[in-house]
Amino acid sequence: MHTRALLSVVIFVPLLLTGCVGQPALSDRTLTLVYLGNLDGELEPCGCTEEGDLGGILRQTTQIDRLRQDDPDLFLIHTGGLFNVATGTDRITSEFILSGMREQGYDAVGVQWKDLVYGLEFLTGSGLPMVASNWSGAAFAEERLIERGGNRIAYLQWLDPEQSPYRKMKGDHFRASKNTRELQRALARARDSGALTILASGMSKEATLANLPLDDVDIVVVESAYEHYANAEMVDGVLFLQPGSRGQRIARLSVRFDKNGRIEHFEQRVTALPSNVPDAQRLSPWYQAFTDALRADYRKRVAHRKAQASQPSDYVGERACADCHKEAFEIWKQSRHSRAFSTLERENKAFDANCLACHTVAFNQAGGFVDPDITPDRLNVQCEVCHGPGRAHVESEGKSLLEKPTGGSGPVCLQCHNRSHSPSFDFALYWPKILHGLDSKTPQ
């Protein structure tokens, strides 16, 4: 894992709902809720940039364990949105996300539509306490009732039918009820039992207020914001929470109740998880198994691609460019692009498909990088990553022109320098570091 030092960021958001002269004093009963939302496939941080090296299940587990040491009776919930589907290894990553979260010990995990990408059994067999309160069928629990430390919470999750990617498909596919009456009855029963009622909506605050019954709801958790948690906010007697995405931060909410068991006072503390948060050592076997699974999958794919690699490739490698473009080649040699693959080797990620796509030439594409032994001429971020395959250009002695990357915020740079992996990317600042070509203002 990564060792760069970065100070932990903590946001402390207190709010007193009482305390004026003549008002009742706060009761002694309190509850601690730790909540996360929308992991979005981020089992571990990318680590390519310091500002993006946040989160990951190993660091989350460390923080959760610390919080449990301080308060063994805390409640831990996740509003779902666990997976991302972009590469061939994402199913492996998703399997280990589920097993890693099982080790973290959640009290309730909500279901979002994106979590169904691998089917029902992928979730129902995970051993996690999955909740989808309006699910048509018995695959998921309608609610989770948990008692601990003299407190009881009821967690329910609304799966918005209007957001379903399956609703326009023929046949009886994954379905969720549009009828909110059962939800309303379940919330009323939970509140009558003395439980703190928590409803995760997966919708915006405005849509939640407009479409869901909130009379018996104490806390609503709305759709995740990008990376950063929002401040907790009380609206018409309901406490609204908005988690951040990608698992980069974790929130601890302390609630104090009035004599009627309703929220009287709360404090929210959001903590970032940078590289100076140590990995949870108790999950070392889990992480090693994840690494081994990725490596085994990579070897299978290499074996499959060996036959393809024996065919002529349209990619010729950087040495073919050096003869005619000496100045540009020397500039490239001095750049971090020329050492991109060694970064993966140093971090033990030279077999991770999520990383190889941005650290080699045309990985997973016809004629592109397969393996350091099979295609050593396609390591690193070379000329052909930006300019396209160069064989026709070389064999025609330059008459067949190469692709010209678009300047400014063009698509070639942004394939890798995107919001997830390179959040501080600024073309005007980055381009001078690799400036080359006939026109010094735009890439050639």
Side-chain angles (χ1 to χ4, degrees):
M1 299 299 289
H2 312 292
T3 58
R4 290 187 296 273
L6 184 64
L7 292 178
S8 182
V9 179
V10 176
I11 304 170
F12 185 58
V13 188
L15 177 63
L16 290 174
L17 301 183
T18 63
C20 297
V21 176
Q23 289 185 321
L26 301 177
S27 76
D28 294 330
R29 192 160 72 91
T30 61
L31 177 149
T32 300
L33 178 71
V34 176
Y35 71 99
L36 298 91
N38 273 71
L39 192 59
D40 292 339
E42 298 277 348
L43 181 147
E44 59 182 333
C46 168
C48 284
T49 60
E50 188 171 278
E51 66 271 27
D53 189 7
L54 294 165
I57 286 178
L58 290 171
R59 298 175 192 169
Q60 292 165 19
T61 305
T62 295
Q63 182 66 9
I64 289 169
D65 289 350
R66 288 172 174 174
L67 292 172
R68 280 202 175 106
Q69 286 180 349
D70 294 338
D71 185 353
D73 295 325
L74 65 79
F75 296 89
L76 178 64
I77 64 172
H78 200 296
T79 63
L82 307 179
F83 311 137
N84 181 47
V85 181
T87 72
T89 60
D90 281 328
R91 185 183 178 101
I92 294 174
T93 301
S94 299
E95 290 173 352
F96 278 89
I97 283 173
L98 293 177
S99 60
M101 289 180 62
R102 190 167 60 245
E103 293 294 328
Q104 292 174 327
Y106 281 89
D107 292 303
V109 178
V111 177
Q112 295 187 24
W113 289 113
K114 66 188 302 182
D115 296 324
L116 296 166
V117 64
Y118 299 117
L120 281 177
E121 291 184 0
F122 193 78
L123 291 181
T124 57
S126 69
L128 289 173
M130 310 297 298
V131 180
S133 300
N134 58 322
W135 185 259
S136 298
F140 304 114
E142 178 185 17
E143 64 183 1
R144 284 280 297 169
L145 285 170
I146 307 103
E147 293 191 51
R148 188 175 297 127
N151 288 307
R152 174 187 292 178
I153 69 166
Y155 180 88
L156 298 92
Q157 178 128 349
W158 180 256
L159 193 59
D160 184 11
E162 296 302 318
Q163 296 180 14
S164 171
Y166 308 101
R167 63 192 178 99
K168 294 183 179 180
M169 296 174 62
K170 294 180 179 180
D172 189 17
H173 296 282
F174 305 145
R175 295 174 61 189
S177 172
K178 297 181 180 180
N179 193 329
T180 61
R181 287 195 297 273
E182 282 300 321
L183 177 68
Q184 190 169 13
R185 284 192 282 266
L187 288 165
R189 287 194 303 269
R191 173 168 274 193
D192 289 343
S193 75
L196 177 83
T197 54
I198 303 171
L199 174 61
S201 73
M203 302 187 295
S204 68
K205 181 178 72 175
E206 293 74 21
T208 300
L209 286 166
N211 296 293
L212 295 183
L214 303 181
D215 290 343
D216 293 304
V217 176
D218 293 305
I219 296 175
V220 166
V221 190
V222 299
E223 63 181 348
S224 296
Y226 186 72
E227 295 185 356
H228 292 273
Y229 283 72
N231 291 340
E233 178 185 16
M234 189 68 75
V235 179
D236 297 331
V238 178
L239 181 59
F240 277 77
L241 308 177
Q242 185 174 34
S245 65
R246 302 181 63 199
Q248 295 187 340
R249 295 163 178 82
I250 193 167
R252 175 185 180 272
L253 181 77
S254 297
V255 174
R256 187 175 293 179
F257 301 95
D258 64 19
K259 62 183 180 181
N260 298 314
R262 304 279 63 87
I263 296 175
E264 188 171 45
H265 167 264
F266 67 85
E267 295 175 355
Q268 174 169 291
R269 191 178 187 92
V270 178
T271 305
L273 302 173
S275 59
N276 65 334
V277 176
D279 295 340
Q281 291 304 304
R282 68 182 182 88
L283 288 191
S284 293
W286 165 84
Y287 187 74
Q288 185 60 53
F290 170 62
T291 301
D292 292 343
L294 289 181
R295 184 181 286 110
D297 179 79
Y298 174 69
R299 287 171 177 166
K300 288 180 181 178
R301 292 174 187 273
V302 167
H304 178 72
R305 290 194 297 266
K306 278 185 177 179
Q308 296 176 327
S310 65
Q311 302 299 317
S313 172
D314 288 335
Y315 294 92
V316 292
E318 84 273 8
R319 294 308 314 178
C321 307
D323 292 339
C324 298
H325 302 281
K326 291 183 175 62
E327 183 179 351
F329 179 78
E330 289 304 318
I331 293 172
W332 173 80
K333 284 293 289 183
Q334 299 303 314
S335 75
R336 293 176 65 184
H337 281 170
S338 70
R339 305 183 297 277
F341 190 79
S342 64
T343 302
L344 298 187
E345 293 179 311
R346 186 175 65 248
E347 299 294 341
N348 195 27
K349 286 294 177 183
F351 50 83
D352 192 332
N354 292 291
C355 304
L356 287 169
C358 287
H359 289 253
T360 63
V361 177
F363 176 69
N364 255 349
Q365 300 178 38
F369 173 81
V370 174
D371 179 84
D373 296 327
I374 300 170
T375 52
D377 59 334
R378 278 154 260 180
L379 296 170
N380 303 310
V381 181
Q382 299 183 24
C383 312
E384 290 171 295
V385 169
C386 298
H387 294 281
R391 182 166 299 280
H393 179 73
V394 172
E395 293 180 349
S396 69
E397 297 181 344
K399 293 183 176 64
S400 176
L401 299 179
L402 291 169
E403 298 176 15
K404 182 181 291 188
T406 306
S409 57
V412 173
C413 301
L414 293 182
Q415 288 175 4
C416 292
H417 290 281
N418 53 40
R419 186 165 67 164
S420 297
H421 302 303
S422 185
S424 62
F425 177 72
D426 183 337
F427 180 83
L429 296 177
Y430 278 51
W431 169 239
K433 297 178 181 180
I434 58 168
L435 185 65
H436 63 277
L438 300 176
D439 184 344
S440 63
K441 295 182 180 179
T442 59
Q444 297 295 312

